[in-house]
Amino acid sequence: MFPIRNVLMYDIAIATQTEWDLLVGELERREIKETTFTSGLTPKDNYYGRQGIFDLAKNPGGRDIHHDVMKFLEEAGLYLLCHVTTNDFGDMLEETHPEGHDPCGEAGISMKIPFSHLVSTTTTTAAATTTTAPPPTTASTTTTTTTANINWIPELLAPLVVSSAFAPIDYDRDDWGSGWSDDDSDCINTRHEVLILESLTGTGLSSSGCSVASGQWYAAFTGTYVTNPSSLDVDHFVPLANAHDSGGWAWSSTTKRSYYNDLVDPQHLIAVTASANRSKGSRGPEEWKPSDSSYWCQYADSWVDIKVRWALTVTSAELSTLQSMLGTCGGPPTGVYVPPAAPSTTTNTTTSTTTTTSTTTTTSGVPGNPGNTKNCSDFSTYSAAKDWFDLYFPYYGDVARLDGDSDGEPCESLPGGP
């Protein structure tokens, strides 16, 4: 209902009939809000159907239609819940209704129509499942998953809506705002707020007090500990382009900016190594998983939570992969991720104080910190600068300050630059 509300209240001027039909598809499948009635004696007696409320929002005729929109959203959302929840929900509504009404019964909802993925994914998921996790609606399949898993995995996935529909408009990064914001005006933007929140130790700030200069982080995608904040990216757990394709295309600009900088949900933004973030890109779990497989359980749980919270859809392949990843859990996730204990000792790469820079390589194959020893003029082509940048960036960040605009592309003015 969230995308429907956004179109009616914020984006009606640019919404098309095709976009609207996609948004109300689940309502149409259950024949919810089929008709419009505007001949009542009072406004309270009138109501708008799916098409009627869209037409009214497109052409309100100069009157305030807020009440009509809110009534449509309230009733449509209620009837949708009547369709997809147990009878206990209807009984609870009847028992608590101030006038003793039975909304589900009075709406004539006698047959439950669950969300499409609860019906259509059983065969597909079963075919894709090995011994990791059971199909969503089948408890008798032979797997290595515990009985507890069989019960909780389909319940966790149940709120997700499966859709193969394509976004009717192209993704445009600029629609999601100008970058990290500073909503509390303390000069620390969202990126550095996340670094402060996720550091395992106290953080040191720059001389301005506006950015993080030191700390210790657990980069969960790779299962590594990081002490240089410059080597970290703050990742949108569900990437912007994925959110766009999953229903975010219909959001208002305000909602898109809120999604970009959301600090309310601690799972929404996460500090990870720059190399892992760029490897992931905008791909969903069906195309990319963290290299540290011990994190797959938490990764899938956080992905599901964010998709549900923002009313974003999933593809059938995405759902099947999430199910398999949840099968690696030892039981239902607690929702609170605790990283493993940090190593008791750390090895720091040092740089000599003479004019000769040490380039020691650790036993793990990590190159030594080159320090600020390069300028763009030291490279003849962009590709040469990029090779050098990519070698050291995952470990030390932009140590030579070659990427002036922090877009991941060093020395863009050199020949061959993007």
Side-chain angles (χ1 to χ4, degrees), residues 102-176:
D102 175 13
C104 293
E106 292 170 8
I109 300 173
S110 57
M111 182 178 68
K112 300 290 183 180
I113 304 178
F115 286 122
S116 56
H117 71 282
L118 295 180
V119 176
S120 62
T121 60
T122 302
T123 301
T124 301
T125 307
T129 302
T130 57
T131 59
T132 306
T137 58
T138 304
S140 60
T141 303
T142 302
T143 70
T144 58
T145 312
T146 65
T147 302
N149 278 12
I150 293 174
N151 293 328
W152 68 262
I153 291 178
E155 292 178 5
L156 184 72
L157 297 174
L160 292 171
V161 176
V162 174
S163 174
S164 59
F166 292 98
I169 56 177
D170 292 336
Y171 168 72
D172 185 344
R173 168 63 184 75
D174 292 339
D175 291 342
W176 298 72

Coordinates of all heavy atoms in Angstrom, one line a residue, residues 102-176:
D102 N -18.2 -6.5 11.6 CA -17.3 -7.6 11.1 C -16.8 -7.2 9.8 O -17.4 -7.6 8.7 CB -18.1 -8.9 11.1 CG -17.2 -10.0 10.5 OD1 -16.0 -9.8 10.4 OD2 -17.7 -11.1 10.2
P103 N -15.7 -6.3 9.7 CA -15.3 -5.8 8.4 C -15.0 -6.9 7.4 O -15.4 -6.8 6.2 CB -14.0 -5.0 8.7 CG -14.2 -4.6 10.2 CD -14.9 -5.8 10.8
C104 N -14.3 -7.9 7.7 CA -14.0 -9.0 6.8 C -15.2 -9.7 6.3 O -15.4 -10.0 5.1 CB -13.0 -10.0 7.4 SG -11.3 -9.3 7.7
G105 N -16.1 -10.0 7.2 CA -17.3 -10.7 6.8 C -18.2 -9.8 6.0 O -18.8 -10.3 5.0
E106 N -18.4 -8.6 6.4 CA -19.3 -7.7 5.7 C -18.8 -7.4 4.3 O -19.6 -7.0 3.4 CB -19.5 -6.4 6.5 CG -20.2 -6.6 7.8 CD -20.2 -5.4 8.7 OE1 -19.7 -4.3 8.2 OE2 -20.6 -5.5 9.8
A107 N -17.5 -7.5 4.1 CA -16.9 -7.3 2.8 C -17.1 -8.5 1.9 O -16.7 -8.5 0.7 CB -15.4 -6.9 2.9
G108 N -17.7 -9.6 2.5 CA -17.9 -10.8 1.7 C -16.7 -11.6 1.4 O -16.6 -12.4 0.4
I109 N -15.6 -11.5 2.2 CA -14.4 -12.2 2.0 C -14.5 -13.5 2.7 O -14.3 -13.7 3.9 CB -13.2 -11.4 2.6 CG1 -13.1 -10.0 1.8 CG2 -11.9 -12.2 2.4 CD1 -12.1 -9.1 2.4
S110 N -14.8 -14.5 1.9 CA -15.0 -15.9 2.5 C -13.9 -16.8 2.0 O -13.7 -17.9 2.6 CB -16.3 -16.5 2.0 OG -16.4 -16.5 0.6
M111 N -13.1 -16.4 1.0 CA -12.1 -17.3 0.5 C -10.7 -16.5 0.6 O -10.6 -15.4 0.1 CB -12.3 -17.7 -1.0 CG -11.2 -18.6 -1.6 SD -11.6 -19.1 -3.3 CE -11.4 -17.6 -4.1
K112 N -9.7 -17.1 1.2 CA -8.4 -16.5 1.3 C -7.7 -16.6 0.0 O -7.7 -17.6 -0.7 CB -7.6 -17.2 2.4 CG -8.3 -17.1 3.8 CD -8.3 -15.7 4.3 CE -8.8 -15.7 5.7 NZ -8.8 -14.4 6.3
I113 N -7.1 -15.5 -0.4 CA -6.2 -15.5 -1.6 C -4.8 -15.0 -1.1 O -4.6 -13.8 -1.0 CB -6.7 -14.6 -2.7 CG1 -8.2 -15.0 -3.1 CG2 -5.8 -14.6 -3.9 CD1 -8.8 -14.2 -4.2
P114 N -3.9 -15.9 -0.8 CA -2.6 -15.4 -0.3 C -1.8 -14.7 -1.4 O -2.2 -14.8 -2.6 CB -1.9 -16.7 0.1 CG -2.5 -17.8 -0.8 CD -4.0 -17.3 -1.0
F115 N -0.7 -14.0 -1.0 CA 0.1 -13.4 -2.0 C 0.7 -14.4 -3.0 O 0.9 -15.6 -2.6 CB 1.3 -12.7 -1.3 CG 0.9 -11.4 -0.7 CD1 1.1 -11.2 0.7 CD2 0.2 -10.4 -1.4 CE1 0.7 -10.0 1.3 CE2 -0.2 -9.2 -0.8 CZ 0.0 -9.0 0.5
S116 N 0.9 -14.0 -4.2 CA 1.2 -15.0 -5.3 C 2.3 -15.9 -5.0 O 2.3 -17.1 -5.4 CB 1.4 -14.2 -6.6 OG 2.5 -13.3 -6.4
H117 N 3.4 -15.4 -4.3 CA 4.6 -16.3 -4.1 C 4.3 -17.4 -3.2 O 4.9 -18.5 -3.3 CB 5.7 -15.5 -3.6 CG 5.6 -15.0 -2.1 ND1 4.8 -14.0 -1.8 CD2 6.1 -15.6 -1.0 CE1 4.9 -13.9 -0.4 NE2 5.6 -14.8 0.0
L118 N 3.3 -17.3 -2.3 CA 3.0 -18.4 -1.4 C 2.3 -19.6 -2.2 O 2.3 -20.7 -1.7 CB 2.0 -18.0 -0.3 CG 2.6 -16.9 0.6 CD1 1.6 -16.5 1.7 CD2 3.8 -17.4 1.3
V119 N 1.8 -19.3 -3.4 CA 1.1 -20.3 -4.2 C 2.1 -20.8 -5.3 O 2.2 -22.0 -5.5 CB -0.2 -19.8 -4.8 CG1 -0.8 -20.8 -5.7 CG2 -1.1 -19.4 -3.7
S120 N 2.7 -19.8 -5.9 CA 3.4 -20.2 -7.2 C 4.8 -20.6 -7.0 O 5.4 -21.2 -8.0 CB 3.4 -18.9 -8.1 OG 4.1 -17.9 -7.5
T121 N 5.5 -20.4 -5.9 CA 6.9 -20.7 -5.8 C 7.2 -22.1 -5.3 O 8.3 -22.5 -5.3 CB 7.6 -19.7 -4.9 OG1 7.0 -19.8 -3.6 CG2 7.5 -18.3 -5.4
T122 N 6.2 -22.9 -4.9 CA 6.5 -24.2 -4.3 C 7.2 -25.1 -5.3 O 8.3 -25.6 -4.9 CB 5.1 -24.9 -3.9 OG1 4.5 -24.0 -3.0 CG2 5.4 -26.2 -3.2
T123 N 6.7 -25.2 -6.5 CA 7.3 -26.1 -7.5 C 8.7 -25.6 -7.9 O 9.7 -26.3 -7.9 CB 6.5 -26.2 -8.7 OG1 5.2 -26.7 -8.3 CG2 7.1 -27.2 -9.7
T124 N 8.8 -24.3 -8.1 CA 10.0 -23.7 -8.6 C 11.1 -23.8 -7.5 O 12.2 -24.2 -7.8 CB 9.8 -22.2 -8.9 OG1 8.9 -22.1 -9.9 CG2 11.1 -21.6 -9.4
T125 N 10.7 -23.5 -6.3 CA 11.7 -23.6 -5.2 C 12.1 -25.0 -4.9 O 13.3 -25.3 -4.7 CB 11.1 -22.9 -3.9 OG1 10.6 -21.6 -4.2 CG2 12.1 -22.8 -2.8
A126 N 11.2 -25.9 -5.0 CA 11.5 -27.3 -4.7 C 12.5 -27.8 -5.7 O 13.5 -28.6 -5.4 CB 10.3 -28.2 -4.7
A127 N 12.4 -27.4 -7.0 CA 13.3 -27.8 -8.0 C 14.7 -27.3 -7.8 O 15.7 -27.9 -8.1 CB 12.8 -27.4 -9.4
A128 N 14.7 -26.1 -7.2 CA 16.0 -25.4 -7.0 C 16.7 -25.8 -5.7 O 17.9 -25.6 -5.5 CB 15.9 -23.9 -7.1
T129 N 15.9 -26.4 -4.8 CA 16.5 -26.7 -3.5 C 17.3 -28.0 -3.5 O 16.9 -29.0 -4.1 CB 15.3 -26.9 -2.5 OG1 14.6 -25.6 -2.5 CG2 15.8 -27.2 -1.1
T130 N 18.4 -28.0 -2.8 CA 19.1 -29.3 -2.7 C 18.9 -29.8 -1.2 O 17.8 -30.3 -0.9 CB 20.6 -29.0 -2.9 OG1 21.1 -27.9 -2.0 CG2 20.8 -28.5 -4.3
T131 N 19.9 -29.6 -0.4 CA 19.7 -30.1 1.0 C 19.9 -28.9 2.0 O 20.3 -29.1 3.1 CB 20.7 -31.2 1.4 OG1 22.0 -30.7 1.2 CG2 20.5 -32.4 0.5
T132 N 19.6 -27.7 1.5 CA 19.9 -26.5 2.3 C 18.6 -26.1 3.0 O 18.7 -25.8 4.2 CB 20.4 -25.4 1.4 OG1 21.5 -25.9 0.7 CG2 20.8 -24.2 2.3
A133 N 17.5 -25.9 2.3 CA 16.3 -25.4 2.9 C 15.1 -26.0 2.2 O 15.1 -26.4 1.1 CB 16.2 -23.9 2.8
P134 N 14.0 -26.1 2.9 CA 12.7 -26.7 2.4 C 12.0 -25.8 1.5 O 12.1 -24.6 1.6 CB 11.9 -27.1 3.6 CG 12.3 -26.0 4.6 CD 13.8 -25.7 4.3
P135 N 11.1 -26.3 0.6 CA 10.2 -25.4 -0.1 C 9.3 -24.7 0.9 O 9.0 -25.2 2.0 CB 9.4 -26.4 -1.0 CG 10.2 -27.6 -1.0 CD 10.9 -27.7 0.3
P136 N 8.8 -23.4 0.6 CA 8.1 -22.6 1.5 C 6.8 -23.3 2.1 O 6.5 -23.1 3.2 CB 7.7 -21.4 0.7 CG 8.7 -21.3 -0.4 CD 9.1 -22.7 -0.7
T137 N 6.1 -24.1 1.3 CA 4.9 -24.6 1.8 C 4.9 -26.1 2.0 O 3.8 -26.7 2.1 CB 3.7 -24.3 0.8 OG1 4.0 -24.8 -0.5 CG2 3.5 -22.8 0.7
T138 N 6.0 -26.7 1.9 CA 6.1 -28.2 2.0 C 7.0 -28.5 3.2 O 8.2 -28.2 3.2 CB 6.7 -28.8 0.8 OG1 5.9 -28.4 -0.3 CG2 6.7 -30.3 0.9
A139 N 6.5 -29.2 4.2 CA 7.2 -29.6 5.4 C 7.8 -31.0 5.3 O 8.6 -31.4 6.2 CB 6.3 -29.4 6.6
S140 N 7.4 -31.7 4.3 CA 7.8 -33.1 4.3 C 9.0 -33.4 3.4 O 9.4 -34.5 3.3 CB 6.6 -34.0 3.8 OG 6.2 -33.6 2.5
T141 N 9.5 -32.4 2.7 CA 10.6 -32.6 1.8 C 11.9 -33.0 2.6 O 12.1 -32.5 3.7 CB 11.0 -31.3 1.1 OG1 9.8 -30.9 0.3 CG2 12.1 -31.5 0.1
T142 N 12.6 -34.0 2.1 CA 13.8 -34.5 2.8 C 14.9 -33.5 2.6 O 15.4 -33.2 1.5 CB 14.2 -35.8 2.2 OG1 13.2 -36.7 2.3 CG2 15.5 -36.3 3.0
T143 N 15.4 -32.9 3.7 CA 16.5 -31.9 3.7 C 17.3 -32.2 5.0 O 17.0 -33.0 5.8 CB 16.0 -30.5 3.8 OG1 15.4 -30.2 5.1 CG2 14.9 -30.2 2.7
T144 N 18.4 -31.4 5.1 CA 19.2 -31.5 6.3 C 18.9 -30.4 7.2 O 19.5 -30.2 8.2 CB 20.7 -31.4 5.9 OG1 20.9 -30.1 5.2 CG2 21.2 -32.5 5.0
T145 N 17.8 -29.7 7.0 CA 17.4 -28.6 7.8 C 16.6 -29.1 9.0 O 15.9 -30.1 8.9 CB 16.5 -27.6 7.0 OG1 17.1 -27.3 5.8 CG2 16.2 -26.3 7.8
T146 N 16.8 -28.5 10.1 CA 16.1 -28.9 11.3 C 14.6 -28.6 11.2 O 14.1 -27.8 10.4 CB 16.6 -28.2 12.6 OG1 16.3 -26.8 12.4 CG2 18.1 -28.3 12.7
T147 N 13.8 -29.3 12.1 CA 12.3 -29.1 12.1 C 12.0 -27.6 12.4 O 11.1 -27.1 11.8 CB 11.7 -30.0 13.2 OG1 12.0 -31.3 12.9 CG2 10.2 -29.8 13.2
A148 N 12.8 -27.0 13.2 CA 12.5 -25.6 13.5 C 12.7 -24.7 12.3 O 11.9 -23.8 12.0 CB 13.5 -25.1 14.6
N149 N 13.7 -25.0 11.4 CA 13.8 -24.3 10.2 C 12.6 -24.4 9.3 O 12.2 -23.4 8.7 CB 15.1 -24.8 9.4 CG 16.4 -24.2 10.0 OD1 16.4 -23.6 11.0 ND2 17.4 -24.4 9.2
I150 N 12.1 -25.6 9.2 CA 10.9 -25.8 8.3 C 9.8 -24.9 8.7 O 9.0 -24.5 7.9 CB 10.5 -27.3 8.4 CG1 11.6 -28.2 7.7 CG2 9.2 -27.5 7.7 CD1 11.4 -29.7 7.9
N151 N 9.6 -24.7 10.0 CA 8.5 -23.8 10.5 C 8.8 -22.3 10.3 O 7.9 -21.6 9.9 CB 8.3 -24.1 12.0 CG 7.8 -25.5 12.2 OD1 7.1 -26.1 11.4 ND2 8.1 -26.1 13.4
W152 N 10.0 -21.9 10.5 CA 10.1 -20.4 10.6 C 10.5 -19.8 9.2 O 10.2 -18.6 9.0 CB 11.2 -20.0 11.6 CG 12.6 -20.4 11.4 CD1 13.2 -21.5 11.9 CD2 13.6 -19.7 10.6 NE1 14.5 -21.5 11.5 CE2 14.8 -20.4 10.7 CE3 13.5 -18.6 9.8 CZ2 15.9 -20.0 10.0 CZ3 14.7 -18.2 9.1 CH2 15.9 -18.9 9.2
I153 N 11.2 -20.6 8.3 CA 11.6 -20.0 7.1 C 10.4 -19.5 6.2 O 10.4 -18.3 5.8 CB 12.5 -20.9 6.3 CG1 13.9 -21.1 7.0 CG2 12.8 -20.4 4.9 CD1 14.8 -22.1 6.3
P154 N 9.4 -20.3 6.0 CA 8.3 -19.8 5.2 C 7.6 -18.6 5.9 O 7.0 -17.7 5.2 CB 7.4 -21.0 5.0 CG 7.8 -21.9 6.1 CD 9.2 -21.7 6.3
E155 N 7.5 -18.6 7.2 CA 6.9 -17.5 7.9 C 7.7 -16.2 7.7 O 7.1 -15.1 7.6 CB 6.8 -17.8 9.4 CG 5.8 -19.0 9.7 CD 5.8 -19.3 11.2 OE1 6.4 -18.6 12.0 OE2 5.1 -20.3 11.6
L156 N 9.0 -16.3 7.7 CA 9.8 -15.1 7.5 C 9.7 -14.6 6.1 O 9.6 -13.4 5.9 CB 11.3 -15.5 7.8 CG 12.3 -14.3 7.7 CD1 12.1 -13.4 8.9 CD2 13.7 -14.8 7.7
L157 N 9.5 -15.5 5.2 CA 9.4 -15.1 3.8 C 8.0 -14.7 3.4 O 7.8 -14.0 2.3 CB 9.9 -16.2 2.8 CG 11.3 -16.6 3.0 CD1 11.6 -17.8 2.1 CD2 12.3 -15.5 2.6
A158 N 7.0 -15.0 4.2 CA 5.6 -14.8 3.8 C 5.2 -13.4 3.4 O 4.4 -13.2 2.5 CB 4.7 -15.3 4.9
P159 N 5.7 -12.4 4.1 CA 5.3 -11.0 3.8 C 5.8 -10.5 2.4 O 5.4 -9.5 1.9 CB 5.9 -10.2 4.9 CG 6.2 -11.1 6.0 CD 6.5 -12.4 5.3
L160 N 6.8 -11.2 1.8 CA 7.4 -10.7 0.6 C 6.4 -10.9 -0.6 O 5.6 -11.9 -0.6 CB 8.6 -11.5 0.3 CG 9.8 -11.2 1.2 CD1 11.0 -12.2 0.9 CD2 10.3 -9.8 1.0
V161 N 6.4 -10.0 -1.5 CA 5.5 -10.1 -2.7 C 6.4 -10.4 -3.9 O 7.4 -9.6 -4.2 CB 4.7 -8.8 -2.9 CG1 3.9 -8.9 -4.2 CG2 3.8 -8.6 -1.7
V162 N 6.1 -11.5 -4.6 CA 6.9 -11.8 -5.8 C 6.4 -11.1 -7.0 O 5.1 -11.2 -7.3 CB 7.0 -13.3 -6.0 CG1 7.7 -13.7 -7.3 CG2 7.7 -14.0 -4.8
S163 N 7.2 -10.5 -7.8 CA 6.8 -9.9 -9.0 C 7.9 -9.9 -10.1 O 9.1 -9.8 -9.8 CB 6.4 -8.4 -8.8 OG 6.1 -7.7 -10.0
S164 N 7.5 -10.2 -11.3 CA 8.4 -10.2 -12.4 C 8.3 -9.0 -13.3 O 8.9 -8.9 -14.3 CB 8.2 -11.5 -13.3 OG 6.9 -11.5 -13.8
A165 N 7.5 -8.0 -12.8 CA 7.2 -6.8 -13.6 C 8.5 -5.9 -13.6 O 9.2 -5.9 -12.7 CB 6.1 -6.0 -13.0
F166 N 8.7 -5.3 -14.8 CA 9.8 -4.4 -14.9 C 9.3 -3.0 -14.5 O 8.2 -2.6 -14.7 CB 10.3 -4.4 -16.4 CG 10.9 -5.7 -16.8 CD1 10.2 -6.6 -17.5 CD2 12.3 -5.9 -16.5 CE1 10.8 -7.8 -17.9 CE2 12.9 -7.1 -16.8 CZ 12.1 -8.0 -17.6
A167 N 10.3 -2.2 -14.0 CA 10.0 -0.8 -13.7 C 9.6 -0.1 -15.0 O 10.4 -0.2 -15.9 CB 11.1 -0.1 -13.0
P168 N 8.6 0.7 -15.0 CA 8.2 1.4 -16.3 C 9.1 2.6 -16.6 O 8.9 3.1 -17.7 CB 6.7 1.8 -16.0 CG 6.7 1.9 -14.5 CD 7.6 0.9 -13.9
I169 N 9.9 3.0 -15.7 CA 10.8 4.1 -16.0 C 12.2 3.7 -15.6 O 12.4 2.8 -14.7 CB 10.4 5.4 -15.2 CG1 10.4 5.1 -13.7 CG2 9.1 5.9 -15.7 CD1 10.1 6.3 -12.8
D170 N 13.2 4.2 -16.3 CA 14.6 3.9 -16.0 C 15.1 4.4 -14.7 O 14.6 5.4 -14.2 CB 15.5 4.4 -17.2 CG 15.2 3.7 -18.5 OD1 14.7 2.6 -18.5 OD2 15.5 4.3 -19.5
Y171 N 16.1 3.7 -14.1 CA 16.7 4.1 -12.9 C 17.6 5.3 -13.2 O 18.4 5.3 -14.1 CB 17.5 3.0 -12.3 CG 18.5 3.4 -11.2 CD1 18.0 3.8 -9.9 CD2 19.8 3.5 -11.4 CE1 18.8 4.2 -8.9 CE2 20.7 3.8 -10.4 CZ 20.2 4.2 -9.1 OH 21.0 4.6 -8.1
D172 N 17.5 6.4 -12.3 CA 18.3 7.6 -12.4 C 18.9 7.9 -11.1 O 18.1 8.2 -10.2 CB 17.5 8.7 -13.0 CG 18.4 10.0 -13.2 OD1 19.5 10.0 -12.7 OD2 17.9 10.9 -13.9
R173 N 20.1 7.7 -10.9 CA 20.8 7.9 -9.6 C 20.5 9.3 -9.0 O 20.3 9.4 -7.8 CB 22.3 7.7 -9.7 CG 23.1 8.1 -8.6 CD 22.8 7.3 -7.3 NE 23.6 7.8 -6.2 CZ 23.3 9.0 -5.6 NH1 22.3 9.7 -5.9 NH2 24.1 9.4 -4.5
D174 N 20.4 10.3 -9.8 CA 20.1 11.6 -9.4 C 18.7 11.8 -8.7 O 18.5 12.7 -7.9 CB 20.2 12.6 -10.5 CG 21.7 12.7 -11.0 OD1 22.6 12.4 -10.3 OD2 21.8 13.2 -12.2
D175 N 17.8 10.9 -9.0 CA 16.5 11.0 -8.4 C 16.5 10.7 -6.9 O 15.5 11.0 -6.2 CB 15.5 10.0 -9.1 CG 15.2 10.3 -10.5 OD1 15.4 11.5 -10.9 OD2 14.7 9.5 -11.2
W176 N 17.6 10.1 -6.4 CA 17.7 9.7 -5.0 C 18.4 10.7 -4.1 O 18.8 10.3 -3.0 CB 18.3 8.3 -5.0 CG 17.5 7.3 -5.7 CD1 17.3 7.1 -7.1 CD2 16.6 6.3 -5.1 NE1 16.5 6.1 -7.4 CE2 16.0 5.6 -6.2 CE3 16.3 5.9 -3.8 CZ2 15.1 4.5 -6.0 CZ3 15.5 4.8 -3.6 CH2 14.9 4.1 -4.7

